[in-house]
Amino acid sequence: MVFSSLTFLFAYLPITLLLYFVTPQKARNLMLLIVSMLFYAWGEPIYIGIMVLSILIDYVHGMLVEKYRADDRKARWFVAQSIVFNLLLLGFFKYWDFLAANLSLLLGVSIPQLHIPLPIGISFFTFQTMSYTIDVYRQDAPAQRSLIDFGAFVTMFPQLIAGPIVPYRTVARELNARKHTVEDFACGARRFTVGLAKKVLLANSIGQLWEQSLMAQDAGTLTVTGGWLGLLAFGFQIYFDFSGYSDMAIGLGQIFGFRFHENFDYPYLSASVSEFWRRWHISLTSWFRAYLYIPLGGNRGGTAKTLRNLLIVWFCTGFWHGASWNFVLWGFYFAAWIILEKYVLRDVLEHLPTGIRHCYTLFAVFVGWGLFAIEDLTKCMAYLGVCFGHGAVWSDADGYLLRSYAILLAVLVIASTTVGKRVWERLPMRVAEVVSPALMAAGLFLCTAYLVDSSYNPFLYFRF
């Protein structure tokens, strides 16, 4: 079940809110656990057992880490057990077929591929449960003694499927005691509606231009102009798709009394690739920094070790997104840019006008989206080859697409900036109080109309 579905909007969510708020305060984590399990079972009923197993193992290991904290060797051993279990779980379901295929080619043997469907959200909830035992070991948060409360943390449906990744330490207090206010409910509902509109009205609409670019490539009619239009379309689609989902998750979290950290900070305003990754998918980059890069030594220990650590982190970042060589290449692609900025381009970029730095960043990022979007490396390289001149520059079809999508592209550019936020903040309080519910109602109406009329409603990060 996705947030941008009629079933979720008009059946699951209203019933869940009713059940949650009529439940006594002390039993609300139990209710949240139950409705979250039902939410997950809607799409993956056969994998409920895996979710329960993950909860039990990490709950027990958290208790063991705290019990043996005085014996650092034992505590580290239990943390390691938890990490290994989570990585094996993720590795088996997500990477077995990839490893089997590549090892078969490399070793000349036949390792069977299992073709097991990927459990939805496994990349996100395994990282969350790993953060739990690590946070307990570091004494950043106490071990959770209630299995129900811990289960509610792991399965919490607002961020279960596609994040943001919520480290345990950031919600530990709210799990045990949180307040629910009318103001939080209203703010959360407004944030959810904004995210829904970004996903349904913007991401879905521009995603169809990306699909047309892929069809043009398959037909052999893709041009340089059409190729770049496609990259532009995919870049906007994935941003408004994923940031819209994050907005919905953050809004729902606020409704239920949780404060999730921001996951996007207007990344297309960045003036360097490094800055882009401080603004994009913040929960993932923060996770890798806190739980991998810094433990490896970070930028301490000299240039060689820093380069090693960056390459490891970006390999993991790319591979985390999918079991395919294009994701590995995508990770190393951005590692190369970040290393160049850190050691070669830093002084050059500092002396360039902001506009040029901004254009340079967008160029690097949108080329990267080409690597990310097309898993078949041969097809991917062919597509990028057309973008860089291996084909006709223009066709009549490009003119038609530009005329058809010009207004939408202009809206997407503006929506990628802080213009809307600044306009809203300048509105008088009384005007905002009147306009806000009207805009929410209009947004919900338009999204509903789109969902009723259109069958195109993909969610890009479900495959991760």
Side-chain angles (χ1 to χ4, degrees):
M1 190 189 314
V2 297
F3 293 168
S4 56
S5 68
L6 297 175
T7 302
F8 179 85
L9 293 172
F10 296 104
Y12 176 86
L13 184 57
I15 294 171
T16 293
L17 291 174
L18 176 63
L19 291 174
Y20 181 82
F21 283 105
V22 299
T23 300
Q25 182 80 26
K26 291 183 178 180
R28 284 182 176 174
N29 281 348
L30 175 60
M31 178 56 68
L32 186 58
L33 173 61
I34 293 170
V35 297
S36 295
M37 283 290 200
L38 291 173
F39 176 85
Y40 193 76
W42 185 275
E44 296 284 2
I46 63 173
Y47 288 139
I48 282 292
I50 293 171
M51 179 71 75
V52 172
L53 179 63
S54 180
I55 291 170
L56 290 174
I57 287 179
D58 286 299
Y59 170 77
V60 170
H61 278 81
M63 297 289 284
L64 290 171
V65 169
E66 185 166 76
K67 179 179 179 180
Y68 292 101
R69 181 174 287 148
D71 187 341
D72 187 65
R73 185 175 179 180
K74 284 186 177 180
R76 290 168 68 92
W77 171 243
F78 289 124
V79 172
Q81 284 185 359
S82 172
I83 292 172
V84 168
F85 167 77
N86 283 287
L87 291 179
L88 286 176
L89 183 68
L90 181 62
F92 176 75
F93 283 99
K94 190 167 184 175
Y95 301 107
W96 175 268
D97 286 353
F98 174 82
L99 294 173
N102 284 278
L103 287 175
S104 294
L105 288 173
L106 182 64
L107 302 177
V109 297
S110 179
I111 301 175
Q113 298 182 43
L114 304 178
H115 302 292
I116 300 174
L118 182 67
I120 294 174
I122 189 171
S123 297
F124 290 90
F125 71 73
T126 51
F127 270 35
Q128 285 197 183
T129 53
M130 274 196 288
S131 78
Y132 167 68
T133 50
I134 296 171
D135 286 346
V136 173
Y137 172 75
R138 293 176 174 178
Q139 301 187 44
D140 290 334
Q144 177 54 253
R145 307 219 169 251
S146 167
L147 180 59
I148 290 174
D149 291 354
F150 181 69
F153 159 70
V154 176
T155 64
M156 201 183 309
F157 80 90
Q159 45 75 65
L160 172 63
I161 301 300
I165 298 170
V166 179
Y168 177 74
R169 66 181 185 276
T170 64
V171 293
R173 290 185 180 179
E174 292 168 346
L175 274 171
N176 297 324
R178 58 187 180 276
K179 296 180 179 180
H180 302 85
T181 67
V182 173
E183 183 180 359
D184 279 341
F185 190 102
C187 289
R190 183 165 60 244
R191 183 71 179 267
F192 177 87
T193 306
V194 169
L196 180 66
K198 287 167 70 174
K199 194 277 181 271
V200 173
L201 302 180
L202 298 181
N204 286 3
S205 297
I206 198 60
Q208 296 180 56
L209 175 56
W210 169 241
E211 295 293 333
Q212 289 175 290
S213 299
L214 292 178
M215 288 189 290
Q217 183 187 21
D218 292 337
T221 59
L222 185 68
T223 65
V224 174
T225 303
W228 283 103
L229 270 178
L231 292 183
L232 192 66
F234 182 81
F236 280 129
Q237 182 190 12
I238 195 169
Y239 170 60
F240 286 104
D241 185 277
F242 193 21
S243 70
Y245 189 98
S246 293
D247 286 338
M248 288 187 276
I250 292 169
L252 288 171
Q254 190 169 0
I255 289 172
F256 289 101
F258 294 94
R259 302 282 181 161
F260 301 154
H261 291 177
E262 294 296 332
N263 209 23
F264 290 86
D265 183 22
Y266 302 97
Y268 289 151
L269 294 180
S270 304
S272 70
V273 174
S274 301
E275 182 185 354
F276 174 84
W277 280 105
R278 290 193 295 269
R279 292 169 172 260
W280 178 279
H281 202 345
I282 298 168
S283 64
L284 180 66
T285 52
S286 299
W287 195 98
F288 274 119
R289 178 176 177 79
Y291 298 109
L292 183 58
Y293 183 67
I294 292 177
L296 284 172
N299 56 7
R300 304 183 304 275
T303 301
K305 288 186 177 180
T306 300
L307 291 174
R308 179 204 64 184
N309 297 341
L310 286 170
L311 290 172
I312 290 172
V313 167
W314 280 99
F315 166 78
C316 292
T317 301
F319 207 39
W320 177 89
H321 281 87
S324 176
W325 285 112
N326 73 300
F327 293 117
V328 175
L329 181 60
W330 177 77
F332 283 134
Y333 170 83
F334 277 109
W337 279 115
I338 288 171
I339 290 169
L340 280 172
E341 288 185 355
K342 186 176 182 67
Y343 293 105
V344 180
L345 300 178
R346 182 173 56 187
D347 293 337
V348 176
L349 290 174
E350 287 178 355
H351 292 90
L352 288 176
T354 301
I356 294 177
R357 293 167 60 193
H358 181 65
C359 291
Y360 141 80
T361 303
L362 292 180
F363 171 81
V365 167
F366 278 85
V367 170
W369 287 137
L371 296 173
F372 186 91
I374 306 174
E375 292 190 19
D376 185 321
L377 276 179
T378 301
K379 187 176 180 180
C380 177
M381 293 300 106
Y383 188 100
L384 291 175
V386 172
C387 291
F388 285 97
H390 190 65
V393 175
W394 173 269
S395 71
D396 292 339
D398 297 329
Y400 171 77
L401 292 175
L402 281 171
R403 290 191 298 272
S404 300
Y405 286 94
I407 294 176
L408 177 58
L409 287 169
V411 171
L412 292 168
V413 170
I414 295 171
S416 300
T417 71
T418 59
V419 170
K421 180 181 179 181
R422 285 185 279 121
V423 169
W424 182 260
E425 290 174 346
R426 291 178 182 177
L427 288 177
M429 182 69 70
R430 291 183 180 179
V431 174
E433 289 175 352
V434 174
V435 171
S436 179
L439 288 176
M440 288 177 62
L444 184 59
F445 174 80
L446 290 173
C447 290
T448 302
Y450 182 100
L451 293 171
V452 169
D453 185 60
S454 177
S455 60
Y456 184 79
N457 187 32
F459 180 61
L460 302 184
Y461 261 71
F462 258 32
R463 57 178 170 159
F464 308 129

